[in-house]
Amino acid sequence: MLKRLSNRSFHALLAVGLALAMVASASIGDFVFPLREMARFIGQAFHLIPLTTADTLDRNVFLQLRLPRVLLGTVTGAVLGVSGTLMQGLFRNPIVEPGLVGTSAGAALGAALVFVLGGKATLAFTAPLGSAAVPVFAFAGGFAATVLVYRVSRSFGKVNVFTLLLAGIAVNAVSSAGTGFLSYIARDPQARNITFWNLGTFTTADWRGAVIVTVTFAICYLLSVRYGKALNALMLGEDEATYTGLDPARFIWPLLVVNTLMVAMATAMVGVIAFIGLVVPHVLRLLKSSDYTFLIPGSALLGAMLMEIIDVVARLVIAPAELPIGIITAVVGAPVFLGILIRQQRRGGGAFYG
Amino acid sequence: MVELHDVSFTAGATPILHHVDAQFAPGRFNVILGPNGAGKSTLLKVATGTLKPSTGTVRYDNADAASWPPDVLARRRAVLSQHMELPFPLAVEDVVLMGRYPHYARTPARRDRDIVNQALELVGMADRRQQIYSTLSGGERQKTHLARVLAQIWAGDDASGPRYLFLDEPTASLDIHYQIHLLDVARGLLADGCTVVAVLHDLNIALRYGDTFVVLSGGTVACATDRRDAVSRELLEGVFRVRAHQIVDPIAGRTLWEFSL
Amino acid sequence: MTAVRSLRFIRRPVSAFALALIIAGCNRGNTGGGARVVCVSKQINEDLYAIGAENVLVARDLTSVYPEQIIKLQSVGYHRALNAEGIISMKPTLFLNDGNLGPDAVVEQVKKVGIPTLTLNPGNTMDSAQALIEALGNLFHREHQADSVVAAWKAGMDSVFADTAKWGQGHRPRVLIIHFGQIRNNYLALKRGGPADQMLHWAGADNAIDSAGGMSQLTPELIARAAPDIIIATEVGFDRYGSVEKFKTMPGIALTPAGQSNRIYRITEQKIMYFGPRTPAVVRELAGLVHQ
């Protein structure tokens, strides 16, 4: 029945779901903020309502810790959702997403390099980059990983899915080894951070980080959303896409760059979170359509919504401690991944949805 | 009109085409024939502009193919390839709609949707338009793609002009019903002055549907003719390395070839 | 009107959400006056109990389990995997730690919402650990008790040092101290220089590991090269095996002199991983174990 909705209506439905998830995420946690209180705090933040001193602590927690966390989580979910969609379009395969292909792991390794070695003389060339060192290295790591996997998995112009997965495993393994080694040689404070990283967490969210990722996503999204039609044409193959007047080389590499940029930025802030990019486009295709002009905005909305729901669960399940996000996404995403793989096997590659 | 002049093509170190001259006229069903490995697909790909020839030129109506702006070319030239895969589920009408992509920027217009419907009617897939592509049989998939390429160069668009349709072994792995149906539809375009070029492997079908024949052997043109009888027994036996003899169908009076080793 | 302070008891998010929206003004109120301290350092927590200042505590970290009474307090999680909101939801007037916590950002986040935080580094020597107790005494107005605890501690150590010479004569066994890291669930060997190593030294034994500085991953090669006469394992790691027989199944252990003579002992980490008022007794206990 959902299939009959127009793209616009479907997106509107997702947007409503996202709004609800964001409100829930802003409200629930070790601190619970009722709606009225949230509204009041926001009003006070914009100086529309006079401050009340009795709830200074709650207000500070809400404005300084909770809200940036909601923003960071929302945007990260959108980044991963859109990234999964773009990569599936570029690689022409449903089993592709930044976690499996190694983009996130490569970005994490790049960032870890800066965290651990950045201060020392060994990596003095990060100094001129200043605080831009982390995103730059994260981007370089993510891009190197993606290009490697892309190159290795293509033969005769088609992407071989098993080569792709194996190459992704290899890249993930190398990155884990790298970050493992770095945490082994790291001085204490940095080592503690790296462990978190491999599992992803929004715990340390602050406004600066959240805004950086938001701006990056906004730019990357605007740059990529107009390629929906091109990715549709690409579904038939690069030659076919050429016949419709497109030049695949003209948009494949730019899209890969834009995709890697936003994934790297999010990973640098939050750590490695896998499977969102796999699950979100898959669900949208099942619910409605494979048209990329629908999928790209849809996956931003659904990815954000899913991430917020998961973040709430992460906060509640073993409160007051938190479960790393990556654990929940793996629990949800791995079965979906296996399901897709099995069905693809059965149909012998190519179209596999029923 | 599609003209190839002195075209050679080398892939890596392997020479595939040698000094090929060919003319494919509009309003005529141009057929490329030849044994496996003769270079038929390569010749077609050079003709469609997918591959750049190592030497020689490809011209569409007196303009170098490379000089045509890609978006204009996309509205005039369509190619039905041999192998088509679709990794994600799409409805038949969505696949056909892709043929209209060169004609609209963001959203398809009324006219685009009308053309999709007409194309589906023409190939006989109108009642299946909502069906998911992956559930179709091989023949139905091929018809869907035919509808798509027809929609791409549908007549009557922005100022009438020359149109080109290339078919690369479109009947391979289709049963006889679909083969005949597809070629009938393709021939239907000839009346509008479209240039149709097809690579066909079945000699009898090729001779039945074709008007002009380019026989390729070992990367060179063994024979280029618009007379059926110029495709002689000696030519066929030499090029295809078989023994051939002709029979005449007593009912329709058509010439058929019988082969043996 | 204040927010409902916490809903650790609510497991289902949906009902939690509904509850949050419905409860507009549940007022737990402020606990009447007085300090509310969240401390995530087991060393500092033990010291607070020693000087009788424990009633300021409202929450601890997962590994603070000595003395027994502290277990009644709410835990805010493992000290290397904290989150700011969990700490803040205890509405502390002070967040106390010893610098050994993670992730880094947590301290900043707690400060950001206006909660005073204090990091007291206990250092690696007995003098610095005693200074820590004095500092805590000053902080919580138990100077008198702090002084007497330190005095007793010093007297205890004087008595221990008097016996050290006796223990140190004759054979000095090689001892391997095995700890357990809960963040990555791995076993660690203590190197030279830390508090445990010093206590071992006073007890008349030597660390079987020759190098200094912190801890290193426990590997069969390490164990073989150390060839300890005695193994002492902290409780979390020992209890994962449950008994000496089972502990010997760890790769490399059974072949050591300690494994072959079953000289594997369990000790709680809070006794040996840092210096505290119990140190004199602990050194005696160690001396008893190694010189049997």
Side-chain angles (χ1 to χ4, degrees):
Chain A
M1 9 83 232
L2 284 169
K3 288 204 207 246
R4 279 191 237 119
L5 286 174
S6 71
N7 287 355
R8 280 259 162 86
S9 312
F10 202 99
H11 289 153
L13 197 62
L14 286 176
V16 168
L18 173 60
L20 287 175
M22 286 175 78
V23 168
S25 177
S27 173
I28 300 172
D30 280 314
F31 278 80
V32 176
F33 302 107
L35 267 180
R36 260 201 284 163
E37 204 168 58
M38 292 198 280
R40 189 171 82 238
F41 288 155
I42 293 176
Q44 286 169 338
F46 286 106
H47 306 294
L48 299 170
I49 307 177
L51 288 179
T52 40
T53 44
D55 45 16
T56 302
L57 181 69
D58 294 59
R59 180 174 46 252
N60 281 339
V61 170
F62 181 71
L63 294 176
Q64 300 294 340
L65 298 184
R66 186 67 70 79
L67 274 191
R69 180 178 180 137
V70 169
L71 180 62
L72 185 62
T74 302
V75 175
T76 301
V79 164
L80 294 174
V82 172
S83 173
T85 299
L86 291 179
M87 292 187 91
Q88 288 176 16
L90 290 171
F91 285 68
R92 301 206 297 283
N93 197 289
I95 294 239
V96 175
E97 64 118 24
L100 288 172
V101 162
T103 308
S104 302
L109 178 58
L113 268 173
V114 177
F115 283 141
V116 176
L117 299 179
K120 304 185 179 168
T122 33
L123 222 59
F125 53 85
T126 62
L129 291 168
S131 58
V134 170
V136 166
F137 271 74
F139 175 76
F143 195 68
T146 312
V147 167
L148 182 65
V149 173
Y150 185 64
R151 278 259 154 82
V152 165
S153 65
R154 267 165 64 92
S155 60
F156 308 116
K158 283 172 51 167
V159 168
N160 177 313
V161 66
F162 294 108
T163 318
L164 176 81
L165 289 177
L166 290 175
I169 290 175
V171 169
N172 267 299
V174 168
S175 299
S176 290
T179 45
F181 173 69
L182 286 171
S183 69
Y184 186 73
I185 65 169
R187 291 275 132 246
D188 223 23
Q190 306 125 342
R192 294 178 222 146
N193 290 334
I194 290 180
T195 338
F196 281 107
W197 249 23
N198 283 332
L199 292 176
T201 174
F202 297 123
T203 295
T204 54
D206 62 0
W207 279 114
R208 182 178 158 272
V211 167
I212 290 176
V213 177
T214 304
V215 168
T216 307
F217 171 68
I219 295 174
C220 293
Y221 179 79
L222 288 173
L223 287 175
S224 54
V225 70
R226 42 204 202 89
Y227 286 98
K229 211 172 121 214
L231 287 175
N232 283 346
L234 198 60
M235 269 200 255
L236 295 168
E238 274 184 45
D239 283 342
E240 299 303 318
T242 316
Y243 298 142
T244 58
L246 290 168
D247 184 0
R250 269 278 193 84
F251 65 86
I252 289 183
W253 288 104
L255 276 181
L256 270 180
V257 168
V258 159
N259 169 66
T260 308
L261 180 63
M262 62 181 180
V263 169
M265 199 57 86
T267 307
M269 295 293 163
V270 154
V272 178
I273 297 178
F275 292 112
I276 297 284
L278 184 73
V279 170
V280 167
H282 179 71
V283 167
L284 287 175
R285 285 198 192 95
L286 284 178
L287 288 180
K288 184 146 181 348
S289 133
S290 295
D291 182 349
Y292 283 97
T293 58
F294 160 72
L295 284 179
I296 296 180
S299 55
L301 292 169
L302 184 61
M305 180 171 113
L306 199 60
M307 190 62 87
E308 283 308 282
I309 295 173
I310 290 178
D311 193 26
V312 171
V313 171
R315 271 179 254 159
L316 289 182
V317 145
I318 55 170
E322 286 181 13
L323 205 55
I325 303 282
I327 291 182
I328 302 177
T329 61
V331 163
V332 167
V336 172
F337 169 62
L338 286 173
I340 299 178
L341 195 57
I342 290 172
R343 280 162 95 183
Q344 195 168 37
Q345 277 273 58
R346 273 205 214 127
R347 309 258 178 167
F352 69 103
Y353 287 80
Chain B
M1 165 85 79
V2 176
E3 293 169 290
L4 274 67
H5 181 64
D6 197 33
V7 162
S8 298
F9 183 83
T10 310
T14 324
I16 299 186
L17 297 174
H18 310 275
H19 304 291
V20 169
D21 286 305
Q23 274 201 342
F24 302 114
R28 306 182 66 73
F29 201 106
N30 301 281
V31 177
I32 300 175
L33 293 165
N36 287 348
K40 304 192 297 294
S41 272
T42 309
L43 181 61
L44 193 75
K45 287 192 172 148
V46 170
T48 61
T50 312
L51 291 176
K52 292 240 171 327
S54 319
T55 66
T57 58
V58 177
R59 303 167 79 79
Y60 292 174
D61 283 283
N62 296 319
D64 198 310
S67 68
W68 282 70
D71 51 334
V72 174
L73 194 55
R75 290 195 277 271
R76 298 229 176 278
R77 171 216 57 194
V79 180
L80 186 59
S81 305
Q82 223 174 348
H83 304 294
M84 215 76 69
E85 46 162 87
L86 198 61
F88 300 106
L90 282 180
V92 164
E93 58 182 356
D94 291 331
V95 176
V96 178
L97 186 60
M98 286 207 223
R100 297 303 295 167
Y101 277 9
H103 298 272
Y104 68 85
R106 288 288 166 91
T107 15
R110 193 67 235 246
R111 179 173 159 67
D112 295 309
R113 297 216 183 268
D114 284 342
I115 291 176
V116 166
N117 289 335
Q118 291 176 59
L120 282 169
E121 293 274 353
L122 191 57
V123 304
M125 291 282 292
D127 54 338
R128 317 285 213 98
R129 72 167 54 120
Q130 299 268 334
Q131 197 168 331
I132 299 296
Y133 178 87
S134 58
T135 61
L136 299 174
S137 71
E140 291 165 337
R141 291 184 190 191
Q142 198 65 322
K143 287 207 287 189
T144 305
H145 286 296
L146 180 63
R148 174 174 62 84
V149 303
L150 290 176
Q152 190 175 347
I153 54 171
W154 202 260
D157 267 353
D158 41 8
S160 49
R163 294 177 300 141
Y164 315 93
L165 178 64
F166 296 91
L167 307 162
D168 188 352
E169 305 223 25
T171 55
S173 76
L174 289 186
D175 69 30
I176 190 68
H177 172 100
Y178 290 119
Q179 288 185 41
I180 295 178
H181 185 89
L182 190 143
L183 291 171
D184 279 342
V185 171
R187 274 202 71 96
L189 291 175
L190 296 176
D192 292 324
C194 184
T195 304
V196 176
V197 182
V199 171
L200 295 175
H201 62 276
D202 184 311
L203 285 171
N204 282 313
I205 295 244
L207 289 169
R208 175 167 152 181
Y209 280 90
D211 299 317
T212 309
F213 309 94
V214 172
V215 181
L216 212 59
S217 175
T220 57
V221 175
C223 168
T225 176
D226 53 4
R227 287 172 33 227
R228 235 170 239 108
D229 53 14
V231 181
S232 66
R233 183 173 63 84
E234 292 76 23
L235 178 68
L236 289 177
E237 289 189 344
V239 166
F240 288 94
R241 296 178 301 127
V242 286
R243 297 176 64 92
H245 67 266
Q246 234 176 355
I247 51 180
V248 179
D249 161 15
I251 301 185
R254 269 199 277 261
T255 309
L256 294 171
W257 287 94
E258 266 283 318
F259 302 101
S260 59
L261 283 181
Chain C
M1 180 173 77
T2 55
V4 171
R5 182 171 306 129
S6 80
L7 39 45
R8 272 178 275 288
F9 51 94
I10 296 176
R11 289 291 153 196
R12 284 193 260 123
V14 170
S15 58
F17 182 48
L19 194 62
L21 291 181
I22 291 167
I23 297 177
C26 181
N27 190 345
R28 288 269 192 102
N30 236 341
T31 52
R36 295 175 54 82
V37 177
V38 170
C39 177
V40 297
S41 158
K42 46 185 173 288
Q43 178 168 4
I44 295 179
N45 280 329
E46 179 177 336
D47 290 343
L48 286 175
Y49 273 82
I51 63 174
E54 72 269 19
N55 48 5
V56 303
L57 284 174
V58 296
R60 58 180 175 98
D61 72 298
L62 190 70
T63 58
S64 292
V65 294
Y66 182 86
E68 256 183 31
Q69 305 94 291
I70 199 175
I71 299 180
K72 285 184 302 201
L73 283 182
Q74 177 80 43
S75 155
V76 291
Y78 185 64
H79 62 282
R80 292 287 189 117
L82 295 170
N83 73 86
E85 269 193 43
I87 295 167
I88 299 168
S89 68
M90 302 303 304
K91 306 270 195 208
T93 55
L94 176 66
F95 174 50
L96 197 51
N97 65 82
D98 59 9
N100 179 21
L101 78 173
D104 274 351
V106 167
V107 174
E108 281 314 306
Q109 287 178 307
V110 171
K111 275 192 202 161
K112 220 182 335 190
V113 301
I115 293 179
T117 62
L118 181 59
T119 302
L120 293 173
N121 192 329
N124 243 357
T125 68
M126 201 141 59
D127 291 329
S128 56
Q130 286 165 350
L132 172 65
I133 296 194
E134 301 280 6
L136 289 171
N138 287 334
L139 200 55
F140 296 108
H141 312 299
R142 317 283 293 188
E143 295 90 338
H144 183 63
Q145 291 85 339
D147 287 340
S148 59
V149 163
V150 172
W153 180 355
K154 286 185 168 157
M157 286 314 295
D158 288 337
S159 154
V160 162
F161 290 142
D163 290 335
T164 292
K166 171 179 63 163
W167 293 322
Q169 276 172 350
H171 176 56
R172 294 180 70 90
R174 293 168 59 78
V175 178
L176 176 64
I177 306 177
I178 297 179
H179 188 44
F180 186 74
Q182 289 194 54
I183 193 101
R184 260 182 279 168
N185 286 342
N186 53 356
Y187 285 90
L188 305 159
L190 263 54
K191 300 206 249 192
R192 296 197 174 183
D197 178 63
Q198 293 178 55
M199 289 185 218
L200 203 58
H201 192 77
W202 294 324
D206 289 325
N207 194 334
I209 306 279
D210 291 324
S211 48
M215 299 184 263
S216 59
Q217 179 98 12
L218 192 68
T219 64
E221 291 85 42
L222 194 76
I223 299 173
R225 218 176 332 127
D229 302 311
I230 294 168
I231 289 175
I232 296 179
T234 56
E235 83 278 24
V236 177
F238 183 93
D239 292 344
R240 282 164 66 91
Y241 282 93
S243 70
V244 172
E245 279 312 304
K246 294 213 185 109
F247 195 86
K248 276 170 25 177
T249 61
M250 196 196 298
I253 299 278
L255 297 172
T256 58
Q260 285 167 345
S261 53
N262 279 337
R263 296 196 71 185
I264 298 174
Y265 305 113
R266 175 189 188 271
I267 199 165
T268 56
E269 67 168 312
Q270 291 198 246
K271 283 184 183 171
I272 59 165
M273 294 304 284
Y274 51 82
F275 292 120
R278 292 188 289 166
T279 301
V282 171
V283 177
R284 289 193 181 283
E285 184 182 335
L286 284 175
L289 288 178
V290 307
H291 293 296
Q292 269 174 19

